Amino acid sequence: MFGKRSLGDTPSATPAAQPASPTPARVQAAAGAKPTPRSNAPAPSAPASRAPPPADPSESPEYRSEAYYRVKSTIFNALIETIDLTQLAQLDPESSRDEIRDIVAEIISIKNVVMSIAEQESLLDDICNDVLGYGPLEPLLARDDIADIMVNGANAVFIEVSGKISKTGIRFRDNGQLMNICQRIVSQVGRRVDESSPICDARLPDGSRVNVIAPPLAIDGPTLTIRKFKKDKLKLSNLVEFGSVSPSGAKILQIIGACRCNVLISGGTGSGKTTLLNTLTAFIDPTERVITCEDAAELQLQQPHVVRLETRPPNLEGSGQVTMRDLVKNCLRMRPERIIVGEVRGPEAFDLLQAMNTGHDGSMGTLHANTPREALSRLESMITMGGFSLPAKTIREIIVAAVDVVIQAARLRDGSRRITQITEVLGLEGDTIITQDLLTYEIQGEDQHGRIIGRHRGTGVGRPRFWERARYFGLEKELAQALDESENA
Ligand SMILES: Nc1ncnc2c1ncn2[C@@H]1O[C@H](COP(=O)(O)OP(=O)(O)OP(=O)(O)O)[C@@H](O)[C@H]1O
Ligand SMILES: [Mg+2]
């Protein structure tokens, strides 16, 4: 087709500029016949890392040597001069890939590059990814065991697998290529990232959450952070399997979700808050009308009656922004039965609390905090900073009346994620909010692999404050049993 036709008469594709002799040796040493990373994607994520990640990135399956990159770059440049990218863009992905394969195979033979079939395959994959997809990120995006991909400039790509962060052997040709890929990602959602607007949030077609911050703000080159979207979201039963919560703890959570308690999920970055929120929504009655508000839609509710809303950043002229507060306020006019806020981080806290206090029982939200107490005081400061001139005591009264339960999620030092506290809000004593733990996680030690050993334990509370609520929903017996079991765990 067009590529092949032009190949013959494009001087740059001939080996003239590239002496044939040194190349074979370089490639032999270089391409290293590594299997394509796609094919050896490890099993889905487990709670804690079993095998420690290789300390040396050159041991990782994605590693390619310097010489490999040199050969790839030569072939890539020849390819770019040979093909007509606009025509290529009109083909479907499969045909584009075939077209590129044919041309690359020809370039390899013209340039006398000696490669095994496996090496050629791996080079072809890499080049197709560069031209058509997200370049070196593709093999990482194809793996389902990765939670986060963090690119700090062209030569430093880190991933988080099973709670542990490790450096990969992947690198980009240069910061220019990385920037192009960032641009490609954000342009798909109609955004732009460059020196004049160097911060950008976006989403991959599969739903993964993306943040880009470019130079000059990011000093060492474009910095890309991707929270991989998990197609199969974890369920409460998975969390029990992983030891994130005990079976009786899970039962308590299930009752909290079903009997329409207002819940805050608190935790640090990447501690599993959104995952936990998603698992709790499984216990919402299918007849309820639920409205979710998120910055980037991550929740996957299974109920039939769900409205999903998403905020919008300002456009290039700085207008058109729709904030979380706008969404939550609008929600109230949509006859919701429950409102779910992906992440509470600003003045929308006030509107969510108001919603919780005005008949939208069972509303939920997550926020960043290290303990349930801290979560409540963060809520207070979000309201104060939002410009509401209410006395501190009034704000606390609103919080106490609204929030029933705070669930604390944490990522422990061994990388495992645990629910460390289920705490209920009891009331105000003077100016102080009184809380009571129902379940806590006690660390007992660690095993020989450095994994934390601990247990979830009920605190012996006989009748939590939401007991009446549980009774109203006919769940009090189950609650009593779960509390007993958790105490005797
Ligand atoms: N209990 C768990 N066991 C194992 N993996 C988990 C657990 N909870 C969450 N994860 C995984 O950890 C990653 C981060 O989870 P999640 O997005 O829920 O965190 P988060 O606290 O909402 O993060 P952020 O603060 O960035 O919004 C995801 O890949 C998720 O699948
Ligand atoms: Mg989250």
Side-chain angles (χ1 to χ4, degrees):
M1 212 178 146
F2 52 87
K4 280 179 213 156
R5 223 180 305 122
S6 50
L7 180 66
D9 40 54
T10 309
S12 59
T14 65
Q18 191 72 12
S21 54
T23 320
R26 273 201 327 230
V27 178
Q28 289 286 19
K34 303 271 178 195
T36 54
R38 275 169 199 280
S39 59
N40 62 337
S45 109
S49 67
R50 297 289 175 258
D56 179 0
S58 68
E59 287 168 27
S60 83
E62 302 90 6
Y63 178 75
R64 306 278 189 276
S65 72
E66 276 302 322
Y68 173 86
Y69 284 109
R70 275 201 298 275
V71 172
K72 184 179 143 192
S73 166
T74 315
I75 293 178
F76 185 82
N77 291 340
L79 173 80
I80 291 298
E81 287 178 34
T82 308
I83 52 170
D84 181 343
L85 285 174
T86 40
Q87 283 195 48
L88 193 70
Q90 286 161 11
L91 296 178
D92 62 84
E94 218 26 69
S95 320
S96 313
R97 231 164 231 275
D98 290 345
E99 186 66 26
I100 292 174
R101 276 176 170 274
D102 289 349
I103 304 172
V104 168
E106 244 172 281
I107 297 174
I108 290 176
S109 77
I110 291 173
K111 284 190 182 294
N112 257 342
V113 181
V114 178
M115 277 183 154
S116 69
I117 302 282
E119 289 161 353
Q120 258 196 47
E121 279 301 312
S122 142
L123 184 82
L124 271 167
D125 265 346
D126 277 5
I127 289 185
C128 284
N129 290 341
D130 283 2
V131 179
L132 303 170
Y134 301 126
L137 288 178
E138 287 282 342
L140 298 181
L141 291 171
R143 280 173 57 177
D144 206 34
D145 62 324
I146 297 179
D148 290 279
I149 304 173
M150 295 149 274
V151 183
N152 313 341
N155 294 320
V157 180
F158 293 83
I159 52 174
E160 195 221 275
V161 178
S162 306
K164 290 272 189 202
I165 295 181
S166 60
K167 189 172 182 188
T168 66
I170 286 188
R171 42 179 258 199
F172 293 76
R173 232 179 1 263
D174 49 30
N175 281 341
Q177 186 200 11
L178 173 55
M179 197 61 199
N180 278 340
I181 288 170
C182 292
Q183 190 63 54
R184 199 176 284 180
I185 292 174
V186 305
S187 64
Q188 283 180 339
V189 287
R191 298 191 188 147
R192 206 180 77 190
V193 59
D194 53 26
E195 278 204 9
S196 59
S197 62
I199 296 181
C200 190
D201 281 314
R203 210 140 38 103
L204 292 179
D206 74 352
S208 297
R209 204 174 74 187
V210 178
N211 173 270
V212 180
I213 179 158
L217 304 190
I219 295 161
D220 297 320
T223 302
L224 175 70
T225 316
I226 302 178
R227 161 66 43 78
K228 285 276 306 293
F229 187 79
K230 258 202 180 343
K231 281 173 244 65
D232 302 317
K233 284 267 186 270
L234 298 172
K235 301 199 188 70
L236 199 53
S237 56
N238 299 120
L239 301 196
V240 173
E241 232 170 82
F242 295 167
S244 298
V245 65
S246 60
S248 49
K251 193 81 211 150
I252 297 173
L253 289 181
Q254 184 177 341
I255 295 168
I256 287 171
C259 76
R260 307 197 60 163
C261 289
N262 289 320
V263 179
L264 275 184
I265 295 174
S266 150
T269 305
S271 55
K273 301 180 295 297
T274 307
T275 305
L276 189 54
L277 181 59
N278 203 58
T279 59
L280 283 189
T281 61
F283 307 107
I284 296 177
D285 194 278
T287 58
E288 292 179 37
R289 175 169 163 89
V290 187
I291 305 190
T292 66
C293 306
E294 295 176 88
D295 282 319
E298 288 181 279
L299 296 170
Q300 288 174 344
L301 272 71
Q302 301 306 316
Q303 283 72 9
H305 198 160
V306 177
V307 181
R308 302 189 305 149
L309 304 178
E310 205 177 53
T311 57
R312 187 174 68 185
N315 64 14
L316 289 176
E317 287 79 43
S319 60
Q321 181 179 24
V322 179
T323 63
M324 189 62 94
R325 176 141 208 239
D326 298 329
L327 290 187
V328 178
K329 276 205 298 207
N330 192 70
C331 259
L332 296 172
R333 293 181 222 126
M334 296 171 67
R335 203 199 165 276
E337 282 174 282
R338 299 203 195 210
I339 298 176
I340 296 186
V341 177
E343 192 175 321
V344 187
R345 66 174 101 198
E348 67 274 8
F350 183 74
D351 302 277
L352 178 64
L353 292 179
Q354 291 292 56
M356 288 173 164
N357 273 332
T358 52
H360 306 97
D361 292 351
S363 292
M364 303 178 186
T366 76
L367 60 78
H368 277 87
N370 295 320
T371 61
R373 294 219 125 264
E374 200 185 303
L376 297 172
S377 61
R378 283 228 41 215
L379 213 51
E380 192 179 325
S381 44
M382 282 179 211
I383 295 172
T384 317
M385 279 157 54
F388 300 92
S389 48
L390 296 168
K393 181 149 188 203
T394 312
I395 298 178
R396 281 178 209 163
E397 275 164 0
I398 296 174
I399 293 177
V400 163
V403 181
D404 296 310
V405 177
V406 185
I407 306 170
Q408 183 69 36
R411 187 162 75 93
L412 304 185
R413 63 186 147 80
D414 65 349
S416 62
R417 289 170 170 103
R418 297 275 143 90
I419 289 163
T420 52
Q421 267 163 291
I422 302 177
T423 301
E424 62 168 349
V425 178
L426 291 183
L428 262 187
E429 233 174 66
D431 276 352
T432 315
I433 297 179
I434 307 297
T435 59
Q436 149 173 289
D437 289 340
L438 296 181
L439 186 93
T440 56
Y441 181 70
E442 293 165 12
I443 294 182
Q444 293 166 317
E446 47 178 73
D447 67 10
Q448 70 269 36
H449 305 294
R451 286 191 300 253
I452 289 177
I453 305 171
R455 65 171 175 177
H456 288 92
R457 193 131 198 235
T459 50
V461 173
R463 289 204 169 188
R465 190 178 157 217
F466 60 89
W467 178 265
E468 281 309 316
R469 206 179 254 287
R471 207 157 78 152
Y472 178 67
F473 284 89
L475 294 167
E476 82 278 18
K477 283 206 184 77
E478 285 182 51
L479 179 59
Q481 195 186 348
L483 287 168
D484 277 351
E485 279 169 21
S486 68
E487 214 183 317
N488 303 324

